[in-house]
Amino acid sequence: MNLYEAELVVERREFVADGVLALSLRHPLGAELPSWEPGAHIDVVLGPELERQYSLCGDPADRGAWRIAVLREPEGRGGSAYVHEQLGEGDKVRVRGPRNHFTLAPAPRYRFVAGGVGITPILPMLAAAEAAGAEWTLLYGGRTRGSMAFTEELGRYGDRVTLAPQDETGLLDLTPALDGVHEGTLVYCCGPGPLLDAVEDRCPAALLHVERFRPKAQEAGGEAEFEVVLERSGRTVTVAPGVSVLDTVRAAGVEVLFSCTEGTCGTCETEVLEGTPDHRDSVLTDEEREAGETMLICVSRCRGSRLVLDL
């Protein structure tokens, strides 16, 4: 897949909550940016071996700017610290995308649940649901009211939005949002892993859409050696136990886009021409896994002895 890639300029920096910095990115020559739909994210290349994914949280109709929001994570891997400390207004940053594994499907009713910075992909979904005339509610939790981003923007939706700061209301109560969810209602959730796990436990899988910032715990799978045929490159490689398909392919000199190496961003999604993947990612839906047409080669392996990939 050919993705848009360019150096954009940081037009504006704005703190939208304690520790949450919103950036507005524009093309230096004023060119229009690619269109996107709610749930999309972009790759932001901050330096060698420092690439992160951030959800687009602005207005999809604004082709002049992309907005992202970055939570400062003191225990993170360096990406958020770079954005907060070194990326200033007027600076350029390379971006790639957008891509979307969290698309908003049409429905007459929605239940949105967000935790912390998980509000970022949800925010444009609310506007889309509103424009479509759908019924919807949002349950939005955070550590404190001050740590919850975009609360002023959410104020225009009135009582359809429930803010639940943990220091005021305790742990997020999912019962009002999810009890009675039935066919015709879709549930969209983004936030910390424990919140997503709790929502998955009480919501029918067919109605649920989630996006994870951290990989979901996976059951231990087989680590047997298998063969991968790289169809376009005319190469065949052997993936050893404990070594990823991605690392094996790169060691063979075949370039492939990748970023998180955890199965959460979707950057390395690759078309499967033959064979059955052993999916270990946190991106693909159950239907996509069952179809077996693509796989995330940074974490997934092979159910069998041979895969043929479009690489």
Side-chain angles (χ1 to χ4, degrees), residues 216-267:
K216 184 177 181 180
Q218 302 283 343
E219 295 182 5
E223 292 292 333
E225 178 180 286
F226 58 96
E227 181 181 89
V228 175
V229 177
L230 311 177
E231 182 73 11
R232 281 190 284 119
S233 302
R235 304 282 302 277
T236 298
V237 297
T238 299
V239 181
V243 180
S244 70
V245 176
L246 173 64
D247 287 345
T248 303
V249 168
R250 294 184 68 225
V254 177
E255 290 301 316
V256 60
L257 288 177
F258 71 98
S259 179
C260 73
T261 69
E262 296 180 325
T264 59
C265 73
T267 303

mmCIF file of all heavy atoms in Angstrom, residues 216-267:
data_model
loop_
_atom_site.group_PDB
_atom_site.id
_atom_site.type_symbol
_atom_site.label_atom_id
_atom_site.label_comp_id
_atom_site.label_asym_id
_atom_site.label_seq_id
_atom_site.Cartn_x
_atom_site.Cartn_y
_atom_site.Cartn_z
ATOM 1 N N LYS A 216 -2.191 -6.684 23.415
ATOM 2 C CA LYS A 216 -3.014 -7.538 24.261
ATOM 3 C C LYS A 216 -2.240 -8.801 24.603
ATOM 4 O O LYS A 216 -1.499 -9.339 23.768
ATOM 5 C CB LYS A 216 -4.303 -7.917 23.521
ATOM 6 C CG LYS A 216 -5.285 -8.729 24.341
ATOM 7 C CD LYS A 216 -6.555 -8.995 23.539
ATOM 8 C CE LYS A 216 -7.550 -9.788 24.375
ATOM 9 N NZ LYS A 216 -8.801 -10.056 23.606
ATOM 10 N N ALA A 217 -2.398 -9.267 25.836
ATOM 11 C CA ALA A 217 -1.722 -10.501 26.244
ATOM 12 C C ALA A 217 -2.176 -11.653 25.354
ATOM 13 O O ALA A 217 -3.368 -11.841 25.112
ATOM 14 C CB ALA A 217 -2.025 -10.806 27.701
ATOM 15 N N GLN A 218 -1.235 -12.403 24.862
ATOM 16 C CA GLN A 218 -1.530 -13.514 23.963
ATOM 17 C C GLN A 218 -1.193 -14.835 24.624
ATOM 18 O O GLN A 218 -0.251 -14.939 25.418
ATOM 19 C CB GLN A 218 -0.694 -13.387 22.675
ATOM 20 C CG GLN A 218 -0.907 -12.099 21.914
ATOM 21 C CD GLN A 218 -2.196 -12.087 21.127
ATOM 22 O OE1 GLN A 218 -2.797 -13.129 20.872
ATOM 23 N NE2 GLN A 218 -2.636 -10.902 20.755
ATOM 24 N N GLU A 219 -2.004 -15.851 24.311
ATOM 25 C CA GLU A 219 -1.662 -17.188 24.769
ATOM 26 C C GLU A 219 -0.391 -17.648 24.060
ATOM 27 O O GLU A 219 -0.154 -17.317 22.899
ATOM 28 C CB GLU A 219 -2.800 -18.164 24.461
ATOM 29 C CG GLU A 219 -4.082 -17.874 25.226
ATOM 30 C CD GLU A 219 -5.152 -18.892 24.922
ATOM 31 O OE1 GLU A 219 -4.848 -19.876 24.189
ATOM 32 O OE2 GLU A 219 -6.282 -18.725 25.395
ATOM 33 N N ALA A 220 0.427 -18.380 24.787
ATOM 34 C CA ALA A 220 1.678 -18.870 24.203
ATOM 35 C C ALA A 220 1.373 -19.745 22.993
ATOM 36 O O ALA A 220 0.499 -20.601 23.033
ATOM 37 C CB ALA A 220 2.465 -19.652 25.241
ATOM 38 N N GLY A 221 2.073 -19.496 21.922
ATOM 39 C CA GLY A 221 1.858 -20.281 20.715
ATOM 40 C C GLY A 221 3.112 -21.031 20.329
ATOM 41 O O GLY A 221 4.164 -20.918 20.954
ATOM 42 N N GLY A 222 2.989 -21.800 19.264
ATOM 43 C CA GLY A 222 4.124 -22.574 18.806
ATOM 44 C C GLY A 222 5.230 -21.691 18.265
ATOM 45 O O GLY A 222 4.982 -20.622 17.714
ATOM 46 N N GLU A 223 6.460 -22.124 18.431
ATOM 47 C CA GLU A 223 7.622 -21.362 17.969
ATOM 48 C C GLU A 223 8.427 -22.169 16.969
ATOM 49 O O GLU A 223 9.629 -21.989 16.842
ATOM 50 C CB GLU A 223 8.500 -20.967 19.161
ATOM 51 C CG GLU A 223 7.864 -19.963 20.091
ATOM 52 C CD GLU A 223 7.683 -18.593 19.460
ATOM 53 O OE1 GLU A 223 8.468 -18.251 18.550
ATOM 54 O OE2 GLU A 223 6.760 -17.866 19.857
ATOM 55 N N ALA A 224 7.744 -23.060 16.254
ATOM 56 C CA ALA A 224 8.459 -23.926 15.318
ATOM 57 C C ALA A 224 9.000 -23.139 14.129
ATOM 58 O O ALA A 224 8.482 -22.091 13.752
ATOM 59 C CB ALA A 224 7.531 -25.028 14.820
ATOM 60 N N GLU A 225 10.048 -23.653 13.556
ATOM 61 C CA GLU A 225 10.631 -23.092 12.347
ATOM 62 C C GLU A 225 9.647 -23.230 11.183
ATOM 63 O O GLU A 225 8.896 -24.213 11.095
ATOM 64 C CB GLU A 225 11.924 -23.853 12.048
ATOM 65 C CG GLU A 225 12.646 -23.436 10.782
ATOM 66 C CD GLU A 225 13.911 -24.263 10.603
ATOM 67 O OE1 GLU A 225 14.884 -24.019 11.337
ATOM 68 O OE2 GLU A 225 13.914 -25.163 9.732
ATOM 69 N N PHE A 226 9.628 -22.245 10.282
ATOM 70 C CA PHE A 226 8.794 -22.358 9.084
ATOM 71 C C PHE A 226 9.439 -21.564 7.947
ATOM 72 O O PHE A 226 10.341 -20.741 8.169
ATOM 73 C CB PHE A 226 7.354 -21.895 9.330
ATOM 74 C CG PHE A 226 7.213 -20.477 9.813
ATOM 75 C CD1 PHE A 226 6.949 -19.429 8.937
ATOM 76 C CD2 PHE A 226 7.314 -20.182 11.167
ATOM 77 C CE1 PHE A 226 6.815 -18.135 9.383
ATOM 78 C CE2 PHE A 226 7.165 -18.886 11.632
ATOM 79 C CZ PHE A 226 6.920 -17.854 10.740
ATOM 80 N N GLU A 227 8.946 -21.823 6.742
ATOM 81 C CA GLU A 227 9.492 -21.226 5.533
ATOM 82 C C GLU A 227 8.581 -20.111 5.049
ATOM 83 O O GLU A 227 7.350 -20.218 5.101
ATOM 84 C CB GLU A 227 9.612 -22.315 4.463
ATOM 85 C CG GLU A 227 10.185 -21.860 3.133
ATOM 86 C CD GLU A 227 10.229 -23.028 2.159
ATOM 87 O OE1 GLU A 227 9.220 -23.236 1.438
ATOM 88 O OE2 GLU A 227 11.263 -23.717 2.116
ATOM 89 N N VAL A 228 9.188 -19.016 4.587
ATOM 90 C CA VAL A 228 8.420 -17.908 4.014
ATOM 91 C C VAL A 228 8.950 -17.614 2.619
ATOM 92 O O VAL A 228 10.143 -17.343 2.443
ATOM 93 C CB VAL A 228 8.519 -16.640 4.888
ATOM 94 C CG1 VAL A 228 7.816 -15.475 4.195
ATOM 95 C CG2 VAL A 228 7.913 -16.881 6.254
ATOM 96 N N VAL A 229 8.059 -17.694 1.654
ATOM 97 C CA VAL A 229 8.386 -17.349 0.277
ATOM 98 C C VAL A 229 8.016 -15.880 0.063
ATOM 99 O O VAL A 229 6.873 -15.472 0.309
ATOM 100 C CB VAL A 229 7.626 -18.231 -0.722
ATOM 101 C CG1 VAL A 229 7.939 -17.806 -2.163
ATOM 102 C CG2 VAL A 229 7.960 -19.698 -0.502
ATOM 103 N N LEU A 230 8.981 -15.092 -0.372
ATOM 104 C CA LEU A 230 8.766 -13.682 -0.666
ATOM 105 C C LEU A 230 8.517 -13.556 -2.162
ATOM 106 O O LEU A 230 9.458 -13.549 -2.967
ATOM 107 C CB LEU A 230 9.973 -12.861 -0.228
ATOM 108 C CG LEU A 230 10.457 -13.137 1.213
ATOM 109 C CD1 LEU A 230 11.703 -12.317 1.527
ATOM 110 C CD2 LEU A 230 9.347 -12.845 2.218
ATOM 111 N N GLU A 231 7.232 -13.504 -2.528
ATOM 112 C CA GLU A 231 6.829 -13.669 -3.918
ATOM 113 C C GLU A 231 7.450 -12.617 -4.840
ATOM 114 O O GLU A 231 8.022 -12.949 -5.882
ATOM 115 C CB GLU A 231 5.296 -13.607 -4.007
ATOM 116 C CG GLU A 231 4.731 -13.820 -5.388
ATOM 117 C CD GLU A 231 4.806 -15.264 -5.857
ATOM 118 O OE1 GLU A 231 5.111 -16.154 -5.017
ATOM 119 O OE2 GLU A 231 4.573 -15.503 -7.052
ATOM 120 N N ARG A 232 7.352 -11.351 -4.485
ATOM 121 C CA ARG A 232 7.837 -10.289 -5.371
ATOM 122 C C ARG A 232 9.361 -10.225 -5.424
ATOM 123 O O ARG A 232 9.938 -9.821 -6.420
ATOM 124 C CB ARG A 232 7.272 -8.940 -4.928
ATOM 125 C CG ARG A 232 5.836 -8.719 -5.366
ATOM 126 C CD ARG A 232 5.367 -7.290 -5.134
ATOM 127 N NE ARG A 232 5.071 -7.018 -3.739
ATOM 128 C CZ ARG A 232 5.677 -6.119 -2.997
ATOM 129 N NH1 ARG A 232 6.664 -5.403 -3.502
ATOM 130 N NH2 ARG A 232 5.322 -5.919 -1.741
ATOM 131 N N SER A 233 9.999 -10.628 -4.330
ATOM 132 C CA SER A 233 11.461 -10.570 -4.272
ATOM 133 C C SER A 233 12.120 -11.812 -4.831
ATOM 134 O O SER A 233 13.336 -11.827 -5.042
ATOM 135 C CB SER A 233 11.918 -10.371 -2.816
ATOM 136 O OG SER A 233 11.362 -9.194 -2.276
ATOM 137 N N GLY A 234 11.342 -12.866 -5.031
ATOM 138 C CA GLY A 234 11.900 -14.106 -5.537
ATOM 139 C C GLY A 234 12.838 -14.774 -4.550
ATOM 140 O O GLY A 234 13.791 -15.470 -4.947
ATOM 141 N N ARG A 235 12.586 -14.591 -3.264
ATOM 142 C CA ARG A 235 13.441 -15.155 -2.223
ATOM 143 C C ARG A 235 12.631 -16.096 -1.347
ATOM 144 O O ARG A 235 11.421 -15.953 -1.190
ATOM 145 C CB ARG A 235 14.015 -14.038 -1.330
ATOM 146 C CG ARG A 235 14.793 -12.955 -2.066
ATOM 147 C CD ARG A 235 16.188 -13.437 -2.416
ATOM 148 N NE ARG A 235 16.925 -13.835 -1.231
ATOM 149 C CZ ARG A 235 17.584 -12.977 -0.433
ATOM 150 N NH1 ARG A 235 17.580 -11.666 -0.711
ATOM 151 N NH2 ARG A 235 18.259 -13.411 0.608
ATOM 152 N N THR A 236 13.316 -17.042 -0.739
ATOM 153 C CA THR A 236 12.716 -17.905 0.276
ATOM 154 C C THR A 236 13.600 -17.864 1.506
ATOM 155 O O THR A 236 14.826 -18.029 1.405
ATOM 156 C CB THR A 236 12.580 -19.357 -0.223
ATOM 157 O OG1 THR A 236 11.707 -19.390 -1.366
ATOM 158 C CG2 THR A 236 11.993 -20.254 0.865
ATOM 159 N N VAL A 237 12.991 -17.612 2.664
ATOM 160 C CA VAL A 237 13.748 -17.514 3.914
ATOM 161 C C VAL A 237 13.160 -18.473 4.932
ATOM 162 O O VAL A 237 12.014 -18.899 4.828
ATOM 163 C CB VAL A 237 13.725 -16.072 4.470
ATOM 164 C CG1 VAL A 237 14.398 -15.121 3.496
ATOM 165 C CG2 VAL A 237 12.297 -15.616 4.771
ATOM 166 N N THR A 238 13.981 -18.809 5.906
ATOM 167 C CA THR A 238 13.538 -19.676 6.997
ATOM 168 C C THR A 238 13.456 -18.858 8.275
ATOM 169 O O THR A 238 14.433 -18.214 8.682
ATOM 170 C CB THR A 238 14.503 -20.853 7.188
ATOM 171 O OG1 THR A 238 14.533 -21.625 5.981
ATOM 172 C CG2 THR A 238 14.053 -21.741 8.334
ATOM 173 N N VAL A 239 12.275 -18.879 8.898
ATOM 174 C CA VAL A 239 12.055 -18.153 10.150
ATOM 175 C C VAL A 239 12.335 -19.110 11.303
ATOM 176 O O VAL A 239 11.642 -20.107 11.480
ATOM 177 C CB VAL A 239 10.615 -17.607 10.230
ATOM 178 C CG1 VAL A 239 10.410 -16.847 11.532
ATOM 179 C CG2 VAL A 239 10.322 -16.708 9.029
ATOM 180 N N ALA A 240 13.337 -18.796 12.066
ATOM 181 C CA ALA A 240 13.750 -19.669 13.169
ATOM 182 C C ALA A 240 12.861 -19.459 14.388
ATOM 183 O O ALA A 240 12.212 -18.419 14.535
ATOM 184 C CB ALA A 240 15.207 -19.378 13.523
ATOM 185 N N PRO A 241 12.817 -20.415 15.303
ATOM 186 C CA PRO A 241 12.087 -20.231 16.558
ATOM 187 C C PRO A 241 12.601 -18.997 17.301
ATOM 188 O O PRO A 241 13.811 -18.762 17.374
ATOM 189 C CB PRO A 241 12.394 -21.515 17.338
ATOM 190 C CG PRO A 241 12.720 -22.524 16.282
ATOM 191 C CD PRO A 241 13.405 -21.765 15.195
ATOM 192 N N GLY A 242 11.666 -18.191 17.808
ATOM 193 C CA GLY A 242 12.044 -17.017 18.587
ATOM 194 C C GLY A 242 12.460 -15.815 17.760
ATOM 195 O O GLY A 242 12.828 -14.774 18.315
ATOM 196 N N VAL A 243 12.430 -15.933 16.430
ATOM 197 C CA VAL A 243 12.787 -14.830 15.542
ATOM 198 C C VAL A 243 11.540 -14.448 14.750
ATOM 199 O O VAL A 243 10.812 -15.323 14.266
ATOM 200 C CB VAL A 243 13.927 -15.208 14.583
ATOM 201 C CG1 VAL A 243 14.272 -14.045 13.659
ATOM 202 C CG2 VAL A 243 15.148 -15.672 15.362
ATOM 203 N N SER A 244 11.272 -13.151 14.591
ATOM 204 C CA SER A 244 10.060 -12.729 13.897
ATOM 205 C C SER A 244 10.223 -12.817 12.387
ATOM 206 O O SER A 244 11.339 -12.818 11.852
ATOM 207 C CB SER A 244 9.711 -11.296 14.289
ATOM 208 O OG SER A 244 10.648 -10.383 13.741
ATOM 209 N N VAL A 245 9.092 -12.881 11.693
ATOM 210 C CA VAL A 245 9.108 -12.817 10.233
ATOM 211 C C VAL A 245 9.739 -11.498 9.790
ATOM 212 O O VAL A 245 10.561 -11.463 8.863
ATOM 213 C CB VAL A 245 7.685 -12.952 9.667
ATOM 214 C CG1 VAL A 245 7.699 -12.790 8.146
ATOM 215 C CG2 VAL A 245 7.063 -14.288 10.056
ATOM 216 N N LEU A 246 9.390 -10.421 10.468
ATOM 217 C CA LEU A 246 9.932 -9.113 10.115
ATOM 218 C C LEU A 246 11.450 -9.096 10.169
ATOM 219 O O LEU A 246 12.117 -8.663 9.221
ATOM 220 C CB LEU A 246 9.363 -8.046 11.064
ATOM 221 C CG LEU A 246 9.943 -6.635 10.939
ATOM 222 C CD1 LEU A 246 9.631 -6.034 9.583
ATOM 223 C CD2 LEU A 246 9.419 -5.752 12.069
ATOM 224 N N ASP A 247 12.017 -9.559 11.268
ATOM 225 C CA ASP A 247 13.472 -9.543 11.403
ATOM 226 C C ASP A 247 14.135 -10.447 10.378
ATOM 227 O O ASP A 247 15.210 -10.125 9.848
ATOM 228 C CB ASP A 247 13.877 -9.968 12.820
ATOM 229 C CG ASP A 247 13.592 -8.893 13.852
ATOM 230 O OD1 ASP A 247 13.361 -7.738 13.460
ATOM 231 O OD2 ASP A 247 13.576 -9.217 15.057
ATOM 232 N N THR A 248 13.491 -11.563 10.094
ATOM 233 C CA THR A 248 14.054 -12.496 9.115
ATOM 234 C C THR A 248 14.054 -11.890 7.716
ATOM 235 O O THR A 248 15.047 -11.990 6.972
ATOM 236 C CB THR A 248 13.255 -13.807 9.115
ATOM 237 O OG1 THR A 248 13.241 -14.363 10.440
ATOM 238 C CG2 THR A 248 13.855 -14.820 8.157
ATOM 239 N N VAL A 249 12.955 -11.249 7.361
ATOM 240 C CA VAL A 249 12.841 -10.627 6.045
ATOM 241 C C VAL A 249 13.854 -9.492 5.899
ATOM 242 O O VAL A 249 14.535 -9.364 4.878
ATOM 243 C CB VAL A 249 11.404 -10.114 5.832
ATOM 244 C CG1 VAL A 249 11.318 -9.210 4.605
ATOM 245 C CG2 VAL A 249 10.435 -11.290 5.694
ATOM 246 N N ARG A 250 13.999 -8.686 6.924
ATOM 247 C CA ARG A 250 14.948 -7.568 6.857
ATOM 248 C C ARG A 250 16.397 -8.066 6.800
ATOM 249 O O ARG A 250 17.234 -7.485 6.107
ATOM 250 C CB ARG A 250 14.753 -6.648 8.055
ATOM 251 C CG ARG A 250 13.405 -5.938 8.076
ATOM 252 C CD ARG A 250 13.295 -4.959 9.226
ATOM 253 N NE ARG A 250 14.190 -3.836 9.039
ATOM 254 C CZ ARG A 250 14.975 -3.318 9.981
ATOM 255 N NH1 ARG A 250 14.991 -3.872 11.194
ATOM 256 N NH2 ARG A 250 15.744 -2.277 9.735
ATOM 257 N N ALA A 251 16.671 -9.143 7.518
ATOM 258 C CA ALA A 251 18.019 -9.706 7.488
ATOM 259 C C ALA A 251 18.368 -10.224 6.099
ATOM 260 O O ALA A 251 19.547 -10.280 5.723
ATOM 261 C CB ALA A 251 18.147 -10.825 8.516
ATOM 262 N N ALA A 252 17.326 -10.575 5.322
ATOM 263 C CA ALA A 252 17.550 -11.050 3.953
ATOM 264 C C ALA A 252 17.690 -9.905 2.970
ATOM 265 O O ALA A 252 17.841 -10.128 1.762
ATOM 266 C CB ALA A 252 16.393 -11.964 3.531
ATOM 267 N N GLY A 253 17.631 -8.666 3.471
ATOM 268 C CA GLY A 253 17.831 -7.511 2.620
ATOM 269 C C GLY A 253 16.584 -6.983 1.952
ATOM 270 O O GLY A 253 16.656 -6.145 1.045
ATOM 271 N N VAL A 254 15.409 -7.446 2.414
ATOM 272 C CA VAL A 254 14.141 -6.985 1.842
ATOM 273 C C VAL A 254 13.571 -5.910 2.757
ATOM 274 O O VAL A 254 13.306 -6.159 3.934
ATOM 275 C CB VAL A 254 13.143 -8.147 1.685
ATOM 276 C CG1 VAL A 254 11.807 -7.637 1.163
ATOM 277 C CG2 VAL A 254 13.719 -9.203 0.745
ATOM 278 N N GLU A 255 13.382 -4.711 2.210
ATOM 279 C CA GLU A 255 12.879 -3.598 3.002
ATOM 280 C C GLU A 255 11.372 -3.682 3.161
ATOM 281 O O GLU A 255 10.654 -3.997 2.203
ATOM 282 C CB GLU A 255 13.258 -2.264 2.362
ATOM 283 C CG GLU A 255 14.753 -1.952 2.437
ATOM 284 C CD GLU A 255 15.245 -1.898 3.881
ATOM 285 O OE1 GLU A 255 14.550 -1.289 4.722
ATOM 286 O OE2 GLU A 255 16.309 -2.464 4.152
ATOM 287 N N VAL A 256 10.900 -3.416 4.354
ATOM 288 C CA VAL A 256 9.467 -3.421 4.638
ATOM 289 C C VAL A 256 9.198 -2.360 5.700
ATOM 290 O O VAL A 256 10.012 -2.146 6.603
ATOM 291 C CB VAL A 256 9.002 -4.819 5.103
ATOM 292 C CG1 VAL A 256 9.731 -5.251 6.356
ATOM 293 C CG2 VAL A 256 7.496 -4.850 5.321
ATOM 294 N N LEU A 257 8.069 -1.665 5.575
ATOM 295 C CA LEU A 257 7.711 -0.667 6.574
ATOM 296 C C LEU A 257 7.357 -1.352 7.890
ATOM 297 O O LEU A 257 6.668 -2.371 7.909
ATOM 298 C CB LEU A 257 6.517 0.165 6.101
ATOM 299 C CG LEU A 257 6.764 1.160 4.971
ATOM 300 C CD1 LEU A 257 5.456 1.842 4.587
ATOM 301 C CD2 LEU A 257 7.813 2.190 5.367
ATOM 302 N N PHE A 258 7.808 -0.773 8.990
ATOM 303 C CA PHE A 258 7.445 -1.285 10.316
ATOM 304 C C PHE A 258 7.628 -0.162 11.305
ATOM 305 O O PHE A 258 8.251 0.861 11.022
ATOM 306 C CB PHE A 258 8.321 -2.487 10.702
ATOM 307 C CG PHE A 258 9.755 -2.141 11.008
ATOM 308 C CD1 PHE A 258 10.172 -1.973 12.321
ATOM 309 C CD2 PHE A 258 10.684 -1.968 9.980
ATOM 310 C CE1 PHE A 258 11.498 -1.637 12.596
ATOM 311 C CE2 PHE A 258 12.000 -1.636 10.257
ATOM 312 C CZ PHE A 258 12.413 -1.475 11.564
ATOM 313 N N SER A 259 7.061 -0.338 12.494
ATOM 314 C CA SER A 259 7.223 0.694 13.515
ATOM 315 C C SER A 259 7.244 0.091 14.915
ATOM 316 O O SER A 259 8.291 -0.053 15.517
ATOM 317 C CB SER A 259 6.119 1.747 13.396
ATOM 318 O OG SER A 259 6.271 2.724 14.400
ATOM 319 N N CYS A 260 6.063 -0.291 15.449
ATOM 320 C CA CYS A 260 5.979 -0.610 16.879
ATOM 321 C C CYS A 260 6.668 -1.916 17.242
ATOM 322 O O CYS A 260 7.147 -2.081 18.356
ATOM 323 C CB CYS A 260 4.518 -0.657 17.313
ATOM 324 S SG CYS A 260 3.598 -2.116 16.732
ATOM 325 N N THR A 261 6.707 -2.874 16.327
ATOM 326 C CA THR A 261 7.211 -4.246 16.536
ATOM 327 C C THR A 261 6.464 -4.970 17.651
ATOM 328 O O THR A 261 6.948 -5.957 18.189
ATOM 329 C CB THR A 261 8.731 -4.284 16.813
ATOM 330 O OG1 THR A 261 9.017 -3.709 18.106
ATOM 331 C CG2 THR A 261 9.518 -3.559 15.728
ATOM 332 N N GLU A 262 5.259 -4.504 17.994
ATOM 333 C CA GLU A 262 4.451 -5.114 19.052
ATOM 334 C C GLU A 262 3.093 -5.603 18.566
ATOM 335 O O GLU A 262 2.302 -6.113 19.334
ATOM 336 C CB GLU A 262 4.219 -4.106 20.182
ATOM 337 C CG GLU A 262 5.467 -3.680 20.909
ATOM 338 C CD GLU A 262 5.161 -2.682 22.014
ATOM 339 O OE1 GLU A 262 4.239 -1.847 21.845
ATOM 340 O OE2 GLU A 262 5.831 -2.742 23.058
ATOM 341 N N GLY A 263 2.801 -5.397 17.283
ATOM 342 C CA GLY A 263 1.506 -5.827 16.758
ATOM 343 C C GLY A 263 0.365 -4.904 17.114
ATOM 344 O O GLY A 263 -0.788 -5.349 17.167
ATOM 345 N N THR A 264 0.647 -3.606 17.313
ATOM 346 C CA THR A 264 -0.419 -2.672 17.678
ATOM 347 C C THR A 264 -0.658 -1.572 16.655
ATOM 348 O O THR A 264 -1.714 -0.948 16.666
ATOM 349 C CB THR A 264 -0.123 -1.991 19.029
ATOM 350 O OG1 THR A 264 1.126 -1.290 18.946
ATOM 351 C CG2 THR A 264 -0.064 -3.011 20.153
ATOM 352 N N CYS A 265 0.305 -1.292 15.775
ATOM 353 C CA CYS A 265 0.154 -0.116 14.909
ATOM 354 C C CYS A 265 -0.342 -0.450 13.510
ATOM 355 O O CYS A 265 -0.907 0.406 12.835
ATOM 356 C CB CYS A 265 1.463 0.661 14.830
ATOM 357 S SG CYS A 265 2.755 -0.136 13.828
ATOM 358 N N GLY A 266 -0.097 -1.644 13.025
ATOM 359 C CA GLY A 266 -0.549 -2.034 11.695
ATOM 360 C C GLY A 266 0.384 -1.665 10.566
ATOM 361 O O GLY A 266 0.100 -1.957 9.400
ATOM 362 N N THR A 267 1.521 -1.038 10.870
ATOM 363 C CA THR A 267 2.417 -0.566 9.813
ATOM 364 C C THR A 267 2.938 -1.709 8.950
ATOM 365 O O THR A 267 3.070 -1.568 7.731
ATOM 366 C CB THR A 267 3.597 0.202 10.428
ATOM 367 O OG1 THR A 267 3.097 1.275 11.222
ATOM 368 C CG2 THR A 267 4.521 0.765 9.360
#
